[in-house]
Amino acid sequence: MRVQKGIDLSRFILEEERRYPLASGTLSRILISIENATKIISSHIRKAGLVDVLGKVGRINVQGEEVQKLDELANNWLVEHLASTGDFFAVASEEMEKAFFPANGSDGKYVISLDPLDGSSNVDVNISVGTIFSIHKRISDDDASFLQEGRKQVAAGYVIYGSSTMLVYSTGNGVNGFTLDPAVGSFILSHPNIKLPERGKIYAFNESNYKRWSNGIRRYVDTVKEKGYTLRYVASMIADVHRTLLKGGIFAYPADNVNKNGKIRILYEANPLGFLIEQAGGIASNGNSSILDVKPESLHQRTPIFMGSKADMEELLAILKEG
Ligand code: P6P
């Protein structure tokens, strides 16, 4: 679809829907409900230091992590907004141990997996965080619909609350980025048809884990350091992947002798962000195969993850193959 900068997200979504005469408009309505919920989150994050939304709730979530106040608020705003559409049979979230089945969602055609506020521990120190979403078609009357391969996502995207608030998403026809204009409260197309550079001289690995990595990972990092690559690591996946989408290079969270299955969750981190990376011409892998071909076995399953520029990823995967 030919797109021009400056159109707002709502019009872009509706124009994209027009390409599918059989479209019922449900997916468009869902994307607009995500847009509205994330505007509320953005507004609260922008003034977090002034209102009582910083700090911890004093509870540990299903991940074994301290729940931040904004985690809980972001989850509640999103789930309430999405449940009210009646379009979701079920909602899964990093913040909820089990899937939620909205009362008015019994005829819902979709299920959605959410990371309401990825990297939330960074909010207190004003580092970028984000909301990540992944949408699949409903194929069952239970939570098995969430356990589909990432390649079957009908839409995936994120909102990054950074120096500006941006929504980046794909329905399988490329990746487009929209910047929130706070003056008018609309997301405006600012980054049409995002394509990853073929190579980027940036590696985003938490190198403090070096001693815990396999020999292959260490060999790759040693290689890129020799080639003069720059290390950039925010410890907020959304920020690291957003930069990778625009500047190239690789974001990775490998398995190590502490996180034996990796740290990143398949359903609401690796799959949606991997979908965008592959839609933008990059590669997203668990080290052995495309992450989008992995069939998850549980809602909060973790995975080793490597995603980024095609040339860099091919070199990494070749080194990992050597063992
Ligand atoms: P580490 C945030 O908690 C997160 O899930 C990702 O956003 C981020 O990439 C990763 O963990 C950071 O983990 O162990 O490097 O601090």
Side-chain angles (χ1 to χ4, degrees):
M1 177 172 86
R2 196 185 65 77
V3 292
Q4 73 278 6
K5 281 190 178 184
I7 69 168
D8 69 62
L9 175 60
S10 302
R11 187 173 139 217
F12 181 92
I13 290 169
L14 295 174
E15 286 195 7
E16 201 183 38
E17 179 193 315
R18 275 175 33 194
R19 298 172 65 208
Y20 303 96
L22 300 179
S24 65
T26 305
L27 190 54
S28 299
R29 190 169 53 238
I30 286 171
L31 291 169
I32 290 169
S33 64
I34 291 169
E35 172 194 2
N36 293 332
T38 52
K39 281 180 190 171
I40 296 169
I41 296 172
S42 178
S43 163
H44 281 76
I45 285 182
R46 299 271 164 242
K47 58 192 176 192
L50 301 174
V51 292
D52 181 23
V53 294
L54 290 179
K56 299 178 172 60
V57 171
R59 181 170 57 82
I60 304 294
N61 66 13
V62 64
Q63 318 292 340
E65 295 166 348
E66 286 263 20
V67 177
Q68 306 289 324
K69 286 178 187 167
L70 264 174
D71 278 325
E72 205 159 66
L73 287 169
N75 186 66
N76 296 347
W77 289 322
L78 270 166
V79 173
E80 279 163 27
H81 231 85
L82 298 173
S84 66
T85 61
D87 295 318
F88 289 103
F89 173 65
V91 180
S93 166
E94 190 215 22
E95 293 305 321
M96 304 187 307
E97 185 171 357
K98 297 187 184 323
F100 168 64
F101 296 83
N104 64 345
S106 54
D107 297 329
K109 288 170 36 184
Y110 297 100
V111 297
I112 186 167
S113 305
L114 296 165
D115 189 346
L117 208 58
D118 179 68
S120 55
S121 55
N122 291 308
V123 171
D124 292 11
V125 293
N126 213 354
I127 289 174
S128 301
V129 292
T131 297
I132 310 173
F133 63 90
S134 165
I135 300 172
H136 276 103
K137 274 196 179 303
R138 170 194 180 178
I139 57 167
S140 67
D141 289 340
D142 57 17
D143 62 5
S145 298
F146 291 105
L147 306 181
Q148 299 178 67
E149 293 81 350
R151 203 167 297 288
K152 295 178 181 170
Q153 293 174 95
V154 293
Y158 61 83
V159 177
I160 180 167
Y161 311 104
S163 47
S164 63
T165 295
M166 272 190 74
L167 185 146
V168 179
Y169 86 99
S170 174
T171 58
N173 302 295
V175 182
N176 291 283
F178 301 80
T179 299
L180 180 63
D181 180 342
V184 295
S186 295
F187 279 102
I188 307 296
L189 182 64
S190 53
H191 296 68
N193 197 23
I194 297 172
K195 288 296 176 199
L196 264 152
E198 173 74 10
R199 179 185 294 280
K201 294 176 74 74
I202 302 170
Y203 69 106
F205 291 56
N206 182 346
E207 206 163 344
S208 68
N209 295 334
Y210 186 90
K211 287 194 169 52
R212 298 176 0 194
W213 289 336
S214 69
N215 292 333
I217 304 288
R218 292 183 196 173
R219 218 167 36 253
Y220 177 74
V221 168
D222 294 342
T223 305
V224 295
K225 287 166 81 168
E226 279 304 310
K227 291 198 300 188
Y229 274 41
T230 302
L231 170 62
R232 287 288 181 271
Y233 189 74
V234 184
S236 182
M237 184 179 185
I238 202 90
D240 283 316
V241 172
H242 184 68
R243 183 201 55 250
T244 302
L245 258 180
L246 298 182
K247 302 286 187 190
I250 291 184
F251 166 80
Y253 206 103
D256 58 47
N257 58 23
V258 172
N259 297 292
K260 295 195 186 325
N261 297 313
K263 177 177 183 183
I264 300 303
R265 279 57 56 103
I266 295 181
L267 257 58
Y268 39 79
E269 291 174 306
N271 268 348
L273 299 179
F275 185 75
L276 296 177
I277 288 280
E278 292 208 357
Q279 279 287 314
I283 294 175
S285 171
N286 60 6
N288 301 309
S289 64
S290 168
I291 191 66
L292 301 183
D293 294 328
V294 172
K295 192 172 182 327
E297 293 169 5
S298 62
L299 293 184
H300 303 292
Q301 184 178 339
R302 297 175 189 265
T303 178
I305 190 70
F306 309 84
M307 55 173 79
S309 296
K310 191 167 179 295
D312 292 306
M313 282 294 295
E314 285 169 347
E315 285 166 10
L316 166 67
L317 294 170
I319 288 177
L320 296 186
K321 204 169 182 179
E322 291 163 9

